Amino acid sequence: CYPKKNPFAVRVGRTVRRPVAPESAAADLFSPAGRTPPRRPLSGPSGPSPPPPRSAPFLSPVARPSPRMRPPGISPTAGSALVGSLVPAPPPPVLNAIGGRLYPCLRRHFVHALLSHGEASRHAAYRRPVFDSALRAATVLAVWEHPLRSPYSLKSIKGVGRDLLEVCQESCKHVKHPSRPPYFPSPGKLCSVTEAVLVALYEYKLENHEADYCTMEELIFRLNSKVDHPHCHRLDRPVSYYLDKNTLDPGWGQVKKMCHENVSANTPPLIKERSRKGLSKSGTVYEILEAGEAVAERLLREVDDAVPTLGPLRQLAATHVDESYGNVTLCVDLREGGGGSKGLHSMCDLLDGHGVPYVVREIRVADYLFFVGNKLAPVMVERKSVEDVASSMADGRWGRQQKNMRIAQYLLGGRDRKCQMSYLIEGVVSKQKVHGGNVGRRSWGKSEEDVNNAISVENLGKLGFSKMESRSHRESMMILSRIARDVNWKVKNGSIDLKYTYDELIQDSRVCDASKGNPPTDKKHQNPWVPVVTNIEKRTAAERRKEESIKFVPEQVDAEENDAETIRRKEEFAKMPLEKLKKLCRERAELQSGPKADLISRLLKPRKPEVIISRVRKKQYVPKVPSANAALMVAMYLNTFPGGEGLLKDKLMTLAEETGVSSDPMDGDGGFYDGWSGVKKLQEGDPPLVSVQKRKYALTTNPPGSSGRDVAKALHRIAHREGICQCGLD
């Protein structure tokens, strides 16, 4: 989240990797600040496609099922550039018009709580790790430039572990009480030594001294005048006290933490300590670095705030977004995912990873709305897990929500209902059954057949809804990011009308004729098109081909295989004994099990890349396609370049989900294992397929011809042959 030091482009193949735009340090309510967004994802939801409309509506390149050319990008967490240009992030829609509570920023309150926790932990040797971790986390939050309005939002910040998260949660129990507001420093004061040191060194540098080095004595004097005493720790001891290695002072410990890179939080050093014997009695001087200057400038703008700023519970932490999002903002319902104490924050973290401009507010229609400025786009999405479908059917919400959405559709789309309504169904019904065969809970009384009938494409189509499917939160957020880009494309082309603000929609819906919410009787209003085309065909291509090959008869050939050479080979293989077919499969690194028809179908496939065959013969590990490990390797191949930095785990998991190469969701299906469980296998062997440096994962490049990058390239080719890769490249 700091400005990059290499603002020049590097040409890789046909792609010019553009520099990351410098990020502003300002963070206010209507201009969210933070990290740059990742490259645009391309994959879409799984699930059966809806019945085709009479004439397919205008499909943007995002929604079109045909592949797009997309050069490989690099994760912004790896210090890379994006595919496409960056534009300023759109301001959130008028928050008061949307409604709901606004929340104070609790960042300084968390810093104060962590420092108090660390200070209480320094007097026992067994608690020394607690002291160090609390100090490190407090330093990270002190320079964090994005609003933090809930302790659950700390889960996505590296360096704040589970134990420290509980400390912050405990400190917030009294915040809602008017008599005990959250801690906030006095105007003109700072809440920690970390902030005071950065501001003091920055001001010292602006004073144009002969040298940019500030002595330790001068630094202590300056920072003591800036901290919020007595709430904040002051450095009022002699200099020799802080130079003593046995001193565990929480104030001076923050200075030490800023001198080093924080690998966990992926932040660079902010200041530099130097030894200058002749300049002062301590012989130690300090210099502020470029990253520290950016933080100090922001702190100086915020230092005069008398009260914490109010804002939405979550919003995108970025000053710039990919141009494909334009002026579109995704509005997420506050109750989505079970609310702030459950899955909402994890879903927002995924939206942050995709770089989608979003804001969390309490909305009364659907779960997701799309704003263009402060106008509503005619697109509404209701996300429901299969368990939530059974629950809403049991308590009556299923019908009430649909009626409200149809009224909103009439207002936004007019008499022709030119407003897309879609259900995003998440999960698999068969995996949510309980004792007795019901879905979710036995008391709801909804069987698997009841839920499947309710969410079927035919039933939802008759009710005026389209259907999309996903396997996990991660994939659902990926689909929403595609819809946001599709909305921007349609706005630029004038394909949709923007009539209503949110407040106008709610007011008109109250006086609208209730009959407008009834299921449509006109067939032209039924079976609408989905906002983005699903990719279930790609995901199930391998399974369908396998099923078709089992029914193989030499005389019956497909039209695409109807050539003399294929017929000759099939007949030749059919005459061979089973043992010879197994030997041929062994030579090509194919499976040797199954009936004769299966063996023949494998031999008719294109030969695997030689690097795969070579590793199999040497009994070295090769990920299968499809699998989670194959998806991870393909994601690294598409999003890194040889010699560059790797990808952090969270970003790599998101990119792997986008590829579509994994047969199961990367987050797992609720069991103990997920897509990350087998990553250790990729790091084994000599040489390994994947290397790890500072918690960043990258493909190995040696030895040439059999490195991890070569294997990943081969797996990528196999995924395209199977028709399951969704990268959009040829």
Side-chain angles (χ1 to χ4, degrees):
C1 57
Y2 298 96
K4 309 300 178 184
K5 296 184 179 180
N6 297 322
F8 48 86
V10 180
R11 181 171 290 276
V12 180
R14 292 175 293 177
T15 309
V16 175
R17 303 197 186 281
R18 299 178 178 86
V20 177
E23 298 175 278
S24 170
D28 56 51
L29 181 59
F30 296 100
S31 296
R35 300 179 298 273
T36 54
R39 65 170 179 78
R40 62 183 70 171
L42 288 176
S43 60
S46 62
S49 299
R54 292 154 306 286
S55 59
F58 31 84
L59 288 180
S60 73
V62 178
R64 221 172 259 132
S66 58
R68 296 185 296 154
M69 293 302 297
R70 181 196 61 183
I74 304 177
S75 164
T77 56
S80 69
L82 304 175
V83 177
S85 302
L86 295 176
V87 296
V94 182
L95 300 178
N96 292 330
I98 299 177
R101 176 187 172 189
L102 296 177
Y103 298 81
C105 179
L106 302 175
R107 180 181 63 84
R108 297 174 179 86
H109 181 82
F110 295 148
V111 172
H112 185 263
L114 291 173
L115 290 176
S116 300
H117 179 68
E119 187 172 6
S121 306
R122 60 177 176 160
H123 299 295
Y126 74 95
R127 301 202 69 187
R128 173 64 186 271
V130 178
F131 172 77
D132 288 336
S133 60
L135 216 60
R136 187 184 305 111
T139 304
V140 170
L141 296 186
V143 300
W144 193 257
E145 60 178 329
H146 320 312
L148 297 171
R149 298 189 170 97
S150 168
Y152 295 96
S153 61
L154 299 177
K155 290 182 179 180
S156 61
I157 300 179
K158 303 298 181 182
V160 182
R162 183 181 303 176
D163 294 339
L164 298 181
L165 178 61
E166 293 177 357
V167 172
C168 294
Q169 290 174 341
E170 185 68 24
S171 70
C172 288
K173 287 186 175 180
H174 66 274
V175 167
K176 295 182 180 180
H177 199 280
S179 63
R180 299 185 64 185
Y183 166 73
F184 195 80
S186 305
K189 298 295 182 178
L190 299 167
C191 71
S192 67
V193 171
T194 299
E195 297 179 345
V197 166
L198 291 173
V199 172
L201 289 177
Y202 183 69
E203 291 178 346
Y204 184 85
K205 184 176 181 178
L206 294 179
E207 292 173 2
N208 295 322
H209 292 273
E210 294 182 1
D212 291 337
Y213 307 137
C214 179
T215 63
M216 181 177 176
E217 292 84 352
E218 177 71 13
L219 177 61
I220 292 177
F221 173 77
R222 287 174 175 257
L223 71 87
N224 280 337
S225 64
K226 299 182 182 300
V227 295
D228 185 28
H229 185 73
H231 303 287
C232 178
H233 190 87
R234 293 182 64 180
L235 305 183
D236 50 6
R237 299 289 190 95
V239 173
S240 58
Y241 173 80
Y242 302 110
L243 293 176
D244 188 352
K245 295 182 179 180
N246 295 322
T247 299
L248 297 180
D249 185 80
W252 194 250
Q254 298 174 58
V255 180
K256 293 292 186 181
K257 297 294 183 186
M258 287 190 292
C259 294
H260 305 285
E261 177 185 8
N262 191 326
V263 176
S264 297
N266 195 32
T267 56
L270 303 177
I271 63 176
K272 190 169 185 177
E273 182 183 83
R274 299 179 183 271
S275 178
R276 294 291 185 270
K277 298 291 184 182
L279 293 181
S280 65
K281 185 177 180 180
S282 64
T284 305
V285 297
Y286 292 89
E287 175 188 7
I288 189 170
L289 301 179
E290 182 181 357
E293 290 181 11
V295 178
E297 291 175 356
R298 171 175 55 83
L299 293 174
L300 284 173
R301 289 193 290 268
E302 299 175 353
V303 72
D304 293 327
D305 292 344
V307 294
T309 56
L310 299 178
L313 185 65
R314 289 291 296 266
Q315 64 189 92
L316 177 66
T319 56
H320 291 79
V321 298
D322 194 294
E323 63 179 349
S324 61
Y325 293 116
N327 197 33
V328 175
T329 302
L330 170 63
C331 187
V332 183
D333 185 30
L334 179 66
R335 294 152 294 191
E336 180 64 347
S341 62
K342 294 187 178 179
L344 175 64
H345 288 287
S346 63
M347 298 165 72
C348 291
D349 294 340
L350 294 171
L351 290 175
D352 280 327
H354 286 293
V356 187
Y358 75 94
V359 62
V360 174
R361 301 298 290 146
E362 185 177 342
I363 53 180
R364 302 179 185 179
V365 181
D367 288 333
Y368 300 93
L369 298 176
F370 296 84
F371 284 84
V372 182
N374 66 337
K375 295 285 188 178
L376 276 168
V379 179
M380 296 180 289
V381 177
E382 180 78 14
R383 187 196 68 87
K384 281 194 178 295
S385 65
V386 293
E387 186 177 0
D388 191 24
V389 171
S391 173
S392 59
M393 291 173 63
D395 60 20
R397 285 182 293 122
W398 183 252
R400 290 196 305 269
Q401 291 173 345
Q402 291 178 357
K403 185 173 183 178
N404 292 336
M405 291 180 68
R406 280 191 289 263
I407 292 176
Q409 182 198 37
Y410 174 78
L411 296 173
L412 291 174
R415 294 183 177 180
D416 293 334
R417 304 270 180 172
K418 292 183 178 180
C419 174
Q420 292 177 301
M421 300 186 301
S422 184
Y423 270 102
L424 178 55
I425 306 299
E426 188 176 290
V428 180
V429 178
S430 60
K431 295 184 179 181
Q432 297 296 328
K433 291 194 299 184
V434 297
H435 176 68
N438 290 340
V439 177
R441 294 184 183 179
R442 189 176 182 180
S443 59
W444 292 339
K446 299 301 175 183
S447 65
E448 180 180 358
E449 183 180 1
D450 295 336
V451 176
N452 280 327
N453 289 337
I455 62 176
S456 66
V457 176
E458 293 78 10
N459 181 62
L460 291 178
K462 292 178 181 179
L463 297 174
F465 294 86
S466 59
K467 176 187 176 183
M468 301 179 293
E469 286 186 322
S470 74
R471 302 175 297 179
S472 62
H473 283 351
R474 191 179 297 273
E475 188 173 1
S476 296
M477 299 305 106
M478 181 173 58
I479 294 169
L480 291 169
S481 70
R482 294 184 61 199
I483 298 176
R485 295 199 306 273
D486 179 64
V487 169
N488 180 56
W489 185 88
K490 291 176 180 177
V491 169
K492 287 183 177 180
N493 288 275
S495 303
I496 56 178
D497 297 327
L498 306 173
K499 300 179 181 179
Y500 279 87
T501 63
Y502 179 81
D503 189 44
E504 293 170 347
L505 176 68
I506 297 301
Q507 291 180 5
D508 285 4
S509 64
R510 292 171 179 168
V511 297
C512 183
D513 186 359
S515 63
K516 302 301 181 183
N518 296 334
T521 55
D522 193 337
K523 289 187 176 181
K524 70 179 182 179
H525 297 153
Q526 298 177 355
N527 298 321
W529 197 257
V530 291
V532 291
V533 176
T534 60
N535 292 298
I536 186 62
E537 292 82 5
K538 289 186 176 182
R539 285 214 175 118
T540 59
E543 286 78 4
R544 290 203 315 272
R545 292 179 184 179
K546 183 177 180 180
E547 292 174 0
E548 292 169 1
S549 66
I550 294 176
K551 301 177 182 179
F552 164 72
V553 178
E555 291 76 17
Q556 297 177 354
V557 293
D558 297 333
E560 61 183 11
E561 299 175 346
N562 191 13
D563 60 86
E565 178 62 22
T566 303
I567 295 175
R568 185 191 64 78
R569 293 182 63 201
K570 284 184 175 181
E571 292 176 349
E572 182 181 346
F573 289 141
K575 295 176 182 179
M576 293 182 182
L578 192 62
E579 289 301 323
K580 188 171 183 179
L581 292 176
K582 289 184 177 181
K583 182 179 179 181
L584 292 175
C585 288
R586 190 184 310 116
E587 292 175 354
R588 293 169 52 122
E590 298 284 358
L591 288 176
Q592 305 166 45
S593 59
K596 191 173 184 178
D598 285 1
L599 301 179
I600 294 176
S601 65
R602 293 166 193 158
L603 292 173
L604 290 173
K605 290 181 180 179
R607 184 181 177 88
K608 291 182 178 179
E610 290 302 321
V611 63
I612 301 294
I613 297 176
S614 175
R615 288 187 65 89
V616 172
R617 288 175 179 173
K618 296 177 182 178
K619 297 184 179 181
Q620 295 176 330
Y621 173 68
V622 177
K624 296 180 181 179
V625 177
S627 69
N629 277 358
L632 292 171
M633 292 193 67
V634 171
M636 284 184 273
Y637 172 72
L638 293 173
N639 297 277
T640 62
F641 59 90
E645 287 187 319
L647 302 172
L648 294 172
K649 174 186 174 181
D650 291 341
K651 187 62 185 178
L652 181 54
M653 289 281 282
T654 298
L655 295 174
E657 186 76 67
E658 292 178 17
T659 64
V661 178
S662 176
S663 55
D664 297 314
M666 295 300 296
D667 287 331
D669 54 6
F672 181 77
Y673 297 99
D674 59 11
W676 195 256
S677 301
V679 75
K680 283 290 183 183
K681 223 168 185 180
L682 299 176
Q683 304 172 46
E684 299 173 353
D686 186 20
L689 297 174
V690 173
S691 62
V692 186
Q693 290 186 355
K694 296 183 178 180
R695 303 189 183 185
K696 294 181 179 179
Y697 295 80
L699 298 169
T700 56
T701 56
N702 287 311
S706 59
S707 64
R709 192 161 191 86
D710 295 317
V711 174
K713 181 179 180 180
L715 295 175
H716 186 222
R717 289 177 57 190
I718 295 174
H720 271 279
R721 289 177 184 175
E722 298 290 341
I724 60 175
C725 185
Q726 302 172 25
C727 69
L729 295 174
D730 291 340

